[in-house]
C-alpha cells in the first residue's frame, strides 16, 4: 500500500471519534498504536540511535533491504512508542525516495498539534525528521553504488 493510502487509513481511524475525543482518549488511542511497534534490537539501543530533540529517550534504527527502508524503534514512554508506531506503519517498507518526498499530511488531519503539548509535538517532528534523514542517507548511498 502506498504512503498516502496508509496515512488515509490512520486518518479514517481517528475520524471515527476525533470530534468527540478529549485529550485522554486521544493519548490512549496513540498509546494503543504503540503495541504494534516493531521493536528495535537491543544492540541498537545506543547513543548513536537516539533521536535528538526527544525527551525522554527515543531510539530509531533503519535497515535498507531490496531498495526499501525498514524501521524499528523504541521509546521510554507509551506515547512515544505510539508516535513511532504510527510513523513506521506509514513509512516503513517504502523506497528512500518515497519516504523522503512523503507529504506527511496525517499530522494536520489528526490534529496532532492540538492534542499534544508543544514539547511532545516537537518530539514527534524530530522523530519524523530522523526517519526521513535515514531515507535520504540511503538514497544518496544508492546513487554512489550505482555510479
Amino acid at each position: 500500500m502506498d504512503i498516502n493510502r496508509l496515512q488515509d487509513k490512520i486518518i479514517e481511524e481517528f475520524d471515527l471519534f476525533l470530534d468527540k475525543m478529549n485529550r485522554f482518549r486521544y493519548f490512549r488511542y496513540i498509546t494503543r498504536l504503540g503495541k504494534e511497534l516493531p521493536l528495535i534490537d537491543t544492540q541498537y539501543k545506543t547513543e548513536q540511535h537516539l533521536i535528538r530533540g526527544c525527551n525522554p529517550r527515543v531510539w530509531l534504527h533503519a535497515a535498507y533491504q531490496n531498495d526499501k527502508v525498514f524501521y524499528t524503534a523504541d521509546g521510554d514512554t507509551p506515547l512515544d512508542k505510539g508516535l513511532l508506531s504510527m510513523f513506521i506503519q506509514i513509512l516503513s517498507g517504502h523506497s528512500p525516495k518515497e519516504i523522503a518526498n512523503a507529504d506527511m499530511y496525517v499530522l494536520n488531519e489528526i490534529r496532532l498539534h492540538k492534542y499534544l503539548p508543544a514539547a511532545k509535538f516537537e518530539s514527534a517532528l524530530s522523530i519524523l525528521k530522523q526517519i526521513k534523514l535515514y531515507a535520504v542517507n540511503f538514497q544518496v548511498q544508492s546513487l554512489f553504488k550505482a555510479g
Side-chain angles (χ1 to χ4, degrees):
M1 193 177 301
D2 76 12
I3 289 173
N4 287 345
R5 285 188 184 168
L6 290 164
Q7 288 187 89
D8 292 343
K9 182 180 169 198
I10 287 176
I11 291 166
E12 285 175 19
E13 291 171 13
F14 272 87
D15 278 349
L16 292 174
F17 53 85
L18 194 58
D19 289 332
K20 302 173 197 161
M21 191 179 302
N22 61 31
R23 184 165 278 174
F24 173 77
R25 289 177 66 196
Y26 191 88
F27 288 162
R28 189 173 67 193
Y29 184 75
I30 290 177
T31 55
R32 215 172 53 224
L33 289 174
K35 293 179 180 174
E36 301 169 23
L37 178 65
L39 286 178
I40 194 168
D41 191 288
T42 55
Q43 71 178 348
Y44 299 116
K45 284 183 90 170
T46 63
E47 186 76 23
Q48 178 185 354
H49 291 91
L50 277 173
I51 298 177
R52 306 289 175 241
C54 292
N55 188 19
R57 298 172 302 175
V58 172
W59 298 269
L60 180 68
H61 176 259
Y64 188 52
Q65 301 167 332
N66 301 320
D67 299 323
K68 307 273 186 218
V69 183
F70 298 91
Y71 299 95
T72 56
D74 200 3
D76 280 343
T77 70
L79 183 58
D80 287 322
K81 289 179 182 186
L83 292 168
L84 286 161
S85 181
M86 180 173 60
F87 294 147
I88 288 173
Q89 284 178 36
I90 294 168
L91 297 169
S92 193
H94 295 280
S95 74
K97 183 177 180 180
E98 290 171 315
I99 295 166
N101 294 333
D103 171 14
M104 293 297 289
Y105 58 86
V106 68
L107 300 176
N108 288 327
E109 293 295 322
I110 65 169
R111 303 179 204 156
L112 199 62
H113 62 284
K114 176 182 175 186
Y115 287 98
L116 293 183
K120 190 52 72 178
F121 183 69
E122 289 300 318
S123 289
L125 294 178
S126 293
I127 292 167
L128 190 53
K129 177 182 172 184
Q130 188 60 49
I131 287 171
K132 287 187 166 233
L133 282 173
Y134 273 123
V136 168
N137 185 38
F138 289 129
Q139 192 173 13
V140 170
Q141 286 178 17
S142 68
L143 289 174
F144 284 110
K145 287 179 183 176

